[in-house]
Amino acid sequence: MVGFGMRELIRRALPESAHDDTITEPLLKKMQARYAERLPLLPGAVAFPGSYWDEQSREKPERMADFLRHHQAVGRMGTPEEVAWVVTFLCTERARHITGEVIKVDGGQYI
């Protein structure tokens, strides 16, 4: 879970004033220690500036439209914020009884 650009996802979920490694690094370590083995998170196609999907949408718009039409049930790319919201929830006490699940945040990419 922590290996998929999680630092960037956490930063996007936090207010800009909290974009400091003194905040994000301890949160990443806590998440890794507490959840990485118990809660694999599988984000699907997530676009953000500079990402593979961002480049593809600019360089090959027809191919991206085809991908979205045939592989994304919701018809659009996901956002880092949408993945971060799930991660944020999983770090709360409300998710304390969730274990051993593979959680897909993929907009229906693998239905």
Side-chain angles (χ1 to χ4, degrees):
M1 176 168 86
V2 176
F4 180 82
M6 202 53 64
R7 182 174 284 103
E8 178 67 18
L9 296 174
I10 288 171
R11 285 177 181 262
R12 288 174 179 267
L14 295 172
E16 196 167 321
S17 60
H19 289 193
D20 180 339
D21 284 343
T22 61
I23 295 171
T24 56
E25 289 303 314
L27 182 56
L28 281 168
K29 287 180 182 181
K30 178 182 178 182
M31 287 170 48
Q32 187 171 25
R34 188 171 176 187
Y35 299 108
E37 292 180 9
R38 298 187 311 162
L39 290 169
L41 182 70
L42 298 176
V46 176
F48 53 90
S51 69
Y52 169 81
W53 295 110
D54 179 52
E55 291 174 15
Q56 292 297 306
S57 65
R58 284 185 279 112
E59 295 172 9
K60 302 174 183 175
E62 301 84 20
R63 186 174 176 192
M64 281 298 296
D66 183 66
F67 174 81
L68 292 174
R69 191 170 35 258
H70 293 100
H71 300 286
Q72 290 294 109
V74 297
R76 63 174 178 79
M77 291 283 120
T79 67
E81 291 82 3
E82 290 169 323
V83 177
W85 292 330
V86 174
V87 171
T88 302
F89 170 72
L90 292 173
C91 290
T92 68
E93 285 301 308
R94 290 183 176 181
R96 69 181 176 251
H97 203 63
I98 300 172
T99 60
E101 293 300 318
V102 176
I103 300 172
K104 297 187 297 182
V105 185
D106 65 4
Q109 187 174 354
Y110 296 102
I111 291 179

